[in-house]
Amino acid sequence: MEGFNRTKTVLFSTLCLTLFLSVPLCVASSSSSIHDLLRSKGLPAGLLPKEIKSYNLNQDGLLEVFLEGPCLTKFENRVFFDSVVRANLSYGSLIGVVGLSQEELFLWLPVKGIINDDPKSGLILFDIGVAHKQLSLSLFEDPPDCKPTGVLKNHVKKGLDVLKWKR
């Protein structure tokens, strides 16, 4: 009987350890990990640039992405990423986005949400507050390179500073 109880204890401990090790970690420092996370949530990897230092994802779905620094890239238009980008991540969407702006007709507008509710359509929806803009998913296949904002001309950089101040 004593050997039977010992075997049950070992089996139970092994099961608990296996379950503990199978729970995904919510903090990572690899930029490829954040891109894999986006893919697993039905979003294209290229929504975020290559220059990711780390990210946090809490149990409520709040995603915090830490970049090397503020930077610019281009999808269809120019896009500005702040040092930290936050959003609520759920399957197929990033809602309540903070730290991401898109240039539209010489204006910098904050991106408030990104939704991919029908991947078969080949389109992804960007909520830029005043409008919704559909872009081709093909623009977001690969993570883009993001240039530091220091390479901007002064007047454009000042415009971005004003945008940050208004938030």
Side-chain angles (χ1 to χ4, degrees):
M1 188 70 152
E2 184 179 326
F4 177 73
N5 285 338
R6 192 173 305 150
T7 303
K8 279 188 354 184
T9 303
V10 169
L11 285 174
F12 180 75
S13 298
T14 303
L15 177 64
C16 288
L17 182 62
T18 302
L19 288 173
F20 175 76
L21 293 176
S22 68
V23 173
L25 294 176
C26 293
V27 177
S29 60
S30 168
S31 62
S32 65
S33 295
I34 184 65
H35 299 108
D36 291 340
L37 174 65
L38 289 175
R39 282 188 199 101
S40 75
K41 292 291 190 173
L43 294 166
L47 285 176
L48 293 172
K50 293 177 185 174
E51 294 78 9
I52 303 296
K53 282 196 312 188
S54 63
Y55 74 92
N56 294 323
L57 177 62
N58 74 16
Q59 292 177 342
D60 295 329
L62 177 63
L63 176 66
E64 293 181 302
V65 180
F66 303 94
L67 285 81
E68 302 284 333
C71 63
L72 280 175
T73 191
K74 187 171 183 175
F75 296 134
E76 186 180 74
N77 296 332
R78 291 191 310 168
V79 177
F80 172 77
F81 288 93
D82 211 338
S83 308
V84 179
V85 178
R86 291 181 180 87
N88 293 306
L89 175 64
S90 60
Y91 193 85
S93 67
L94 289 165
I95 303 297
V97 178
V98 176
L100 176 60
S101 302
Q102 182 173 319
E103 186 180 38
E104 293 291 330
L105 300 172
F106 305 106
L107 295 173
W108 287 95
L109 301 173
V111 174
K112 297 181 181 280
I114 302 171
I115 302 167
N116 184 20
D117 58 359
D118 184 11
K120 293 177 184 176
S121 73
L123 298 172
I124 190 163
L125 181 79
F126 273 62
D127 175 359
I128 52 174
V130 296
H132 291 132
K133 185 171 183 177
Q134 290 185 329
L135 298 171
S136 173
L137 274 171
S138 64
L139 293 170
F140 306 97
E141 289 176 0
D142 298 314
D145 291 316
C146 205
K147 306 274 190 266
T149 57
V151 300
L152 295 174
K153 293 181 181 173
N154 285 338
H155 69 280
V156 175
K157 188 168 192 242
K158 287 178 187 172
L160 291 173
D161 290 340
V162 169
L163 177 67
K164 280 195 225 176
W165 182 77
K166 287 183 178 179
R167 285 191 208 162

